[in-house]
Amino acid sequence: MSDWKERAEALSAHLRRELGRHLAGRRFVLFGGPVVGIAVMGAQLRSLGGEPFLLGANLGAGPVPDPSDMPWCHLGTRGRSVMDEFRRAEARYPNPPARVQRAVDRFDPERRARSAAAFTMGHVPGAAGRRRFGARPKRWLALEDKTRIERLWRDLDIPHAPSSVVPAEPGALRHAAERLDRGLGTVWAADAKRGVHGGAEGTYWVGDRDEIARAARRLSRDHDRVRVMPFLPGTPCSIHGIVLPRHTVVLRPVEMVVLRVRGARELRYSGVSTFWDPPDRDRQIMRRTVRRIGEALRDRVGFRGPFTIDGVLGPDGFQPTELNARQGGALATVTAGLPSLPITWLCLAATAGLDLDWQPRRMERVLLEVADRRRAGRAMARTGHPTEETSTHALASGRRGPRRARNREETVANLVVGPGGAGTFVGWMPRGNMFPLGESLARPAAEALGWCDRVLDTGIGPLEPVPGASP
């Protein structure tokens, strides 16, 4: 075993022992996603000596756990969109249908279990009558309102793009867009009146007068305020911090794979990647920015646990656009090179204020090395086309893009297509040694999703990288 792997496994073993002191022998009802997705969190808990029950929003795409090995059930939640699915599930977790409540009560007849979630958009107090472990206070959740975050950038003197927060009224929105447009249109982000939003929902890229009018009509129905800022050319990216009692662990930047519908100003959040590398100077600036923000969050609101800063790295450097006061979807990708590390449970322990020997500087140093040495990425899409079966496909590289791999041929990526809460879910997982380091994953992801449409008739639609992104 190489030196860096030994250091990584030693850190993992230490943190697992620390978590085991608190979690071994305890029961948890896990929620916050499809059964297939939260099964990973369940396996981590079991490896720490705990007992999981999986309460999914729906089944999900991929292999389902054997219920005799890891009990589970799901709400059967569906929605018109990803955010609609999230909100419907989050409304039902505290008081689920009778069949679900009975299944949870059989698992925990004495009602001593806690509930836990790796990811929820809103403030959910718990699931099936079980109090939530690592719940976020509402004052932390309020940090995610995209119309309020500029105050933090200003207070900390963090460079950022100009923006205006205006009433969700057509005239005010049109005036702000005309004033801030630098030639590529403007991006509008709605307030959190209807709840926190993400994944490019509640966000509009508008240019001409017709687009401005349509977006204004939609936003004025459900929101009070909208943030308007110029469209920023460059690579959409994100960086995680984990706030601990006396230190903020800062990880490496990741690319957010954001695609556009070809020929239209419609953005699709499509995945994450650590194959991409920003220039060293920008990387250090991004990491220093996140550390300053983490320290400020601890001092101002007593924040603990994971958060992300999203933004764009372009000609004017890194410009932050939002803060997510929770574990982001990229964290599993950043730590993919150390699968024995129960990163989700570490984040929950930090949020819950558990007394662990964190060794934060060692933790940061090792996780940076792991993420730089073992690259990973994924892309995804959801469509309204319904499907009930899960299928998997091995892809090889062809002259004109991806194609189905032949027998014994080396594959560059695997693809899964299956049921999702908003229709069909498509997931693309590239192999870590098959893509060049330092480059964006946006174009290969768009080509793979295009293959899905041509061959599997998934109905995703033609996608391409956003303007000005890294090649």
Side-chain angles (χ1 to χ4, degrees), residues 35-354:
V35 170
V36 170
I38 57 179
V40 175
M41 186 180 173
Q44 288 181 353
L45 176 63
R46 178 169 287 175
S47 74
L48 297 167
E51 297 182 55
F53 181 96
L54 312 182
L55 172 50
N58 43 60
L59 196 58
V64 179
D66 182 342
S68 64
D69 178 58
M70 188 178 297
W72 58 265
C73 64
H74 65 86
L75 300 172
T77 305
R78 295 185 179 275
R80 296 182 300 274
S81 67
V82 175
M83 285 307 309
D84 185 50
E85 176 195 343
F86 267 119
R87 292 195 174 107
R88 288 171 184 255
E90 288 174 353
R92 299 177 73 191
Y93 284 130
N95 298 290
R99 61 173 179 83
V100 172
Q101 187 69 58
R102 288 194 296 269
V104 175
D105 290 344
R106 284 194 297 270
F107 166 76
D108 177 40
E110 297 179 346
R111 289 182 169 256
R112 293 181 178 177
R114 299 285 294 275
S115 60
F119 185 84
T120 57
M121 297 295 291
H123 179 78
V124 182
R130 274 67 181 180
R131 186 163 56 93
R132 185 171 174 181
F133 172 71
R136 294 178 294 159
K138 291 184 178 180
R139 67 182 183 277
W140 298 2
L141 191 66
L143 296 165
E144 299 198 25
D145 189 322
K146 296 173 177 60
T147 65
R148 298 182 179 183
I149 193 60
E150 186 174 352
R151 178 177 177 181
L152 182 63
W153 309 149
R154 289 199 308 266
D155 288 353
L156 298 180
D157 196 25
I158 292 172
H160 59 283
S163 66
S164 289
V165 176
V166 300
E169 185 273 322
L173 286 164
R174 183 177 63 254
H175 177 72
E178 291 171 350
R179 182 169 55 84
L180 291 166
D181 192 346
R182 295 175 175 175
L184 291 172
T186 54
V187 177
W188 300 1
D191 61 22
K193 178 181 179 180
R194 297 187 62 206
V196 174
H197 53 87
E201 291 192 37
T203 301
Y204 295 84
W205 175 21
V206 300
D208 60 37
R209 284 181 171 269
D210 288 341
E211 292 169 345
I212 288 173
R214 284 195 297 270
R217 284 195 298 270
R218 293 191 194 109
L219 289 166
S220 63
R221 288 196 296 263
D222 299 314
H223 301 279
D224 294 331
R225 301 182 306 157
V226 177
R227 184 192 67 194
V228 180
M229 65 188 306
F231 181 92
L232 301 176
T235 300
C237 50
S238 178
I239 181 167
H240 261 93
I242 304 173
V243 180
L244 300 177
R246 288 175 293 278
H247 187 81
T248 297
V249 172
V250 181
L251 303 182
R252 64 154 286 152
V254 300
E255 176 189 15
M256 292 192 297
V257 181
V258 178
L259 304 175
R260 65 179 290 188
V261 175
R262 188 177 300 155
R265 289 189 180 92
E266 184 177 339
L267 300 174
R268 302 275 181 88
Y269 170 71
S270 302
V272 295
S273 166
T274 60
F275 291 101
W276 171 77
D277 282 316
D280 287 343
R281 179 176 180 276
D282 291 307
R283 169 175 164 139
Q284 296 309 316
I285 290 173
M286 293 172 71
R287 296 191 65 246
R288 285 197 298 269
T289 298
V290 168
R291 196 179 308 281
R292 287 175 60 201
I293 292 171
E295 301 299 306
L297 294 180
R298 185 198 299 115
D299 294 342
R300 293 182 176 205
V301 296
F303 188 87
R304 295 289 188 277
F307 71 98
T308 73
I309 300 297
D310 296 351
V312 176
L313 180 60
D316 296 324
F318 176 67
Q319 300 194 69
T321 56
E322 63 186 70
L323 183 153
N324 298 307
R326 51 182 156 79
Q327 177 177 332
L331 191 55
T333 303
V334 174
T335 58
L338 187 54
S340 65
L341 183 74
I343 189 64
T344 294
W345 288 99
L346 287 168
C347 288
L348 287 170
T351 303
L354 294 190

Side-chain angles (χ1 to χ4, degrees), residues 287-465:
R287 296 191 65 246
R288 285 197 298 269
T289 298
V290 168
R291 196 179 308 281
R292 287 175 60 201
I293 292 171
E295 301 299 306
L297 294 180
R298 185 198 299 115
D299 294 342
R300 293 182 176 205
V301 296
F303 188 87
R304 295 289 188 277
F307 71 98
T308 73
I309 300 297
D310 296 351
V312 176
L313 180 60
D316 296 324
F318 176 67
Q319 300 194 69
T321 56
E322 63 186 70
L323 183 153
N324 298 307
R326 51 182 156 79
Q327 177 177 332
L331 191 55
T333 303
V334 174
T335 58
L338 187 54
S340 65
L341 183 74
I343 189 64
T344 294
W345 288 99
L346 287 168
C347 288
L348 287 170
T351 303
L354 294 190
D355 182 20
L356 272 60
D357 177 16
W358 289 99
Q359 300 187 8
R361 289 176 174 79
R362 176 192 179 194
M363 181 178 174
E364 177 174 299
R365 187 169 58 250
V366 169
L367 292 183
L368 283 171
E369 187 173 29
V370 167
D372 285 340
R373 288 182 175 271
R374 286 292 175 88
R375 307 303 180 94
R378 58 185 172 84
M380 58 189 176
R382 294 173 172 86
T383 79
H385 290 203
T387 185
E388 301 299 329
E389 301 294 329
T390 295
S391 60
T392 57
H393 311 268
L395 301 183
S397 181
R399 291 182 180 180
R400 299 181 180 179
R403 57 175 174 77
R404 200 185 301 273
R406 304 182 183 96
N407 288 339
R408 298 183 180 180
E409 185 176 19
E410 187 172 40
T411 62
V412 299
N414 292 305
L415 190 82
V416 60
V417 180
T424 293
F425 173 83
V426 177
W428 175 70
M429 288 72 69
R431 291 182 57 186
N433 61 343
M434 300 302 293
F435 289 82
L437 299 186
E439 297 186 11
S440 169
L441 203 64
R443 189 162 298 282
E447 291 174 350
L449 296 175
W451 180 89
C452 289
D453 268 6
R454 292 193 306 274
V455 178
L456 305 177
D457 192 26
T458 47
I460 298 168
L463 301 174
E464 62 186 11

